[in-house]
Amino acid sequence: MDKIVIWGPNRLEGQVSMSGAKNAALPVLASALLASGPCDISNVPRLKDIETILSLLSHLGVQVDRKSDLIRLNSDSVRCLEAPYDLVNTMRASVLVLGPLVARFKKAKVSLPGGCAIGERPINLHLDALEKLGAKITLDKGYVIAEAEELKGAKICFDTSTVTGTENIMMAAVLARGVTVLENAAKEPEVIDLANALNKMGAFITGAGTDTITIEGVRELKGTSHSVMQDRIEAGTLLLAVAATGGKVEIQNCDPHHLDVVIEKLLSSGVKISTTKNSIFVESDGAIQKMHVQTQPYPGFPTDLQAQMMVLMTQAQGTSLMTESIFENRFNHVAELRRMGAHIMIDGRSAMIEGVKTLSGAPVMATDLRASACLVIAGLLAQGKTEISRVYHLDRGYEQLDQKLEKLGARIERRAS
Ligand code: EPZ
């Protein structure tokens, strides 16, 4: 298992370009199951989670050919309708094959994803919605089996906003008979990207990006080509890294509007930021005012940037407050930050972060994807050497982050261990 070693503190200077979005690529790749004929998906980042879903699609019988950042998929040869435990357990987003398999192949057997480091993360909302579309749902030895001769359009109101739940049901509904209306739908940009890809295949989806999405069922979808949107969480991670370590960086190939609430928070805390249509200029001298942040579904503050923002809060003047409203256990990074000298007190879903002069480098352990990004930022600003173990967590969702940071002047290296 690789380690990442960082010597701090570092200022970050220069330009960095974002990769395609993991959380858009995953549902778009799964949606290829719905289309007859080849689908060409480009701007797909090279990540562990992408390899996992491509392995799953191949397991189902999809022809998968990858040339550079373009992936050609053809699902006309699908023969297997079962997503096995070992693949779903590796990555819970594998449940995204459930909706497409039932819609086009009338049956799916998918291992129920276990919990993960950040929470129980059930899929009850996915299954309840599939039942409303007419699927018969049974649970058997840790697997969910969904079957339907033909799905029928329905009105579905999600109890809580669910990103992959909205995506799964949108994909199930595109081949249903009649119209489906999703209320309290997730508004994340990745949902819009998926809807755009499905409409290119011949679907009739309106309202993506709002809390009410309407899907008029069609008889068949055809293969198309689609370029995945840029990764807004990677851009937000780099933005917070510069704000925390100090420096002057142009973040290219991103949509600043996807980060409106994050930029607003940083501007109010004293960070200098300006934007163009597809880039963010950020400059910081490290002097940060305290902040209060609460994670919310889009367009609120993203839970996927909570850990990274918390590192910045350790450098703020005064005591900041972070509340994690989405997941029940997403403070795994706090214990590691404390080992680097952070003063953080947790009370339920809230954390009080007292600004400290600096952090000290230390050996730390990554526990989940975004916690590992948080520890990288902490290593960049800490005095001395930080060794981060279990960086396979980082490689699930960031394409060459260590190399991108090195180009910005970070003293960072990856070591096989
Ligand atoms: C997506 O996960 C993202 N993953 C997550 O990113 C992200 O943190 C999350 O949305 C929230 O924005 C992908 O898109 C692949 P949810 P998802 O369903 O869809 C509860 C990362 O770091 N819930 O929106 O699984 C759930 O427990 C990852 O890239 C139910 O109770 O999240 C949570 O509390 C981590 N029942 C809340 O809803 C359900 O059936 C939001 O979860 C579904 C969800």
Side-chain angles (χ1 to χ4, degrees):
M1 284 194 274
D2 287 0
K3 278 186 181 175
I4 282 182
V5 183
I6 303 170
W7 290 268
N10 290 266
R11 275 179 64 80
L12 299 175
E13 310 261 356
Q15 298 176 330
V16 62
S17 182
M18 296 299 95
S19 300
K22 163 179 85 82
N23 290 349
L26 292 171
V28 168
L29 291 168
S31 75
L33 286 164
L34 291 161
S36 55
C39 281
D40 287 344
I41 312 298
S42 55
N43 199 34
V44 178
R46 289 186 174 283
L47 298 171
K48 188 75 186 84
D49 276 9
I50 298 299
E51 289 169 26
T52 302
I53 198 154
L54 293 179
S55 306
L56 173 55
L57 292 170
S58 302
H59 172 84
L60 298 174
V62 177
Q63 283 170 337
V64 177
D65 297 304
R66 172 152 216 171
K67 296 181 191 63
S68 174
D69 82 341
L70 183 136
I71 299 177
R72 169 162 287 192
L73 306 109
N74 192 322
S75 55
D76 292 341
S77 47
V78 164
R79 292 289 170 272
C80 166
L81 305 178
E82 179 174 334
Y85 173 77
D86 59 328
L87 283 173
V88 177
N89 202 41
T90 312
M91 183 188 66
R92 57 178 299 97
S94 306
V95 292
L96 284 166
V97 302
L98 189 57
L101 284 176
V102 183
R104 186 173 177 207
F105 301 100
K106 306 183 187 311
K107 184 174 180 181
K109 182 176 179 184
V110 176
S111 170
L112 278 168
C116 78
I118 64 176
E120 187 210 338
R121 301 183 72 186
I123 59 165
N124 57 307
L125 300 177
H126 302 230
L127 303 181
D128 295 350
L130 276 176
E131 274 189 323
K132 290 196 178 98
L133 290 175
K136 177 171 167 274
I137 304 287
T138 46
L139 302 182
D140 178 38
K141 302 185 187 65
Y143 279 76
V144 59
I145 299 157
E147 296 167 285
E149 193 46 42
E150 183 182 47
L151 294 173
K152 294 180 189 59
K155 180 176 171 183
I156 293 162
C157 184
F158 288 109
D159 289 356
T160 54
S161 170
T162 163
V163 176
T164 50
T166 299
E167 291 164 347
N168 225 341
I169 300 311
M170 200 158 69
M171 290 191 280
V174 289
L175 294 178
R177 182 156 49 82
V179 177
T180 297
V181 177
L182 304 184
E183 290 187 341
N184 197 22
K187 297 184 275 196
E188 273 69 5
E190 293 77 14
V191 172
I192 300 173
D193 207 37
L194 173 62
N196 291 341
L198 290 168
N199 282 339
K200 284 183 196 173
M201 295 178 193
F204 282 111
I205 301 171
T206 53
T210 75
D211 54 15
T212 303
I213 301 177
T214 303
I215 305 111
E216 287 179 50
V218 295
R219 297 197 61 74
E220 188 186 31
L221 294 187
K222 295 261 189 231
T224 188
S225 59
H226 181 76
S227 179
V228 165
M229 63 176 270
Q230 296 307 112
D231 194 322
R232 63 187 172 99
I233 301 301
E234 183 188 28
T237 302
L238 268 296
L239 186 57
L240 290 163
V242 179
T245 62
K248 188 174 180 182
V249 170
E250 179 188 8
I251 301 171
Q252 300 170 329
N253 224 351
C254 66
D255 181 344
H257 289 307
H258 289 158
L259 293 165
D260 278 344
V261 71
V262 181
I263 290 171
E264 193 49 47
K265 279 289 172 194
L266 292 178
L267 285 169
S268 64
S269 72
V271 179
K272 290 196 195 93
I273 297 173
S274 62
T275 61
T276 68
K277 188 166 162 296
N278 54 10
S279 63
I280 302 171
F281 294 81
V282 49
E283 186 172 357
S284 164
D285 59 4
I288 304 287
Q289 299 304 314
K290 65 184 179 186
M291 288 168 274
H292 287 190
V293 174
Q294 180 170 8
T295 64
Q296 291 291 349
Y298 192 86
F301 192 95
T303 176
D304 292 348
L305 291 176
Q306 180 257 108
Q308 301 91 311
M309 174 58 103
M310 198 181 277
V311 184
L312 178 60
M313 289 173 162
T314 68
Q315 304 303 296
Q317 284 144 22
T319 299
S320 298
L321 182 65
M322 171 61 81
T323 301
E324 171 54 62
S325 316
I326 308 292
F327 292 109
E328 67 270 24
N329 186 37
R330 203 170 197 176
F331 285 151
N332 299 313
H333 46 284
V334 170
E336 298 304 299
L337 290 177
R338 284 181 181 139
R339 298 183 59 249
M340 298 176 75
H343 295 172
I344 302 173
M345 198 162 71
I346 295 178
D347 175 11
R349 290 215 180 180
S350 290
M352 278 199 283
I353 302 100
E354 187 190 324
V356 293
K357 281 207 179 2
T358 184
L359 299 179
S360 309
V364 291
M365 186 174 77
T367 52
D368 59 82
L369 169 55
R370 306 304 174 182
S372 46
C374 149
L375 295 175
V376 168
I377 297 174
L380 291 172
L381 64 87
Q383 293 283 351
K385 178 179 167 186
T386 297
E387 274 194 12
I388 305 170
S389 58
R390 301 192 179 181
V391 289
Y392 58 84
H393 288 293
L394 190 76
D395 296 337
R396 290 191 53 179
Y398 288 96
E399 188 175 37
Q400 299 180 338
L401 183 63
D402 43 326
Q403 295 176 33
K404 288 172 178 170
L405 289 168
E406 191 175 22
K407 284 195 188 113
L408 294 174
R411 287 176 291 157
I412 183 169
E413 68 179 49
R414 179 181 286 263
R415 285 181 185 166
S417 59

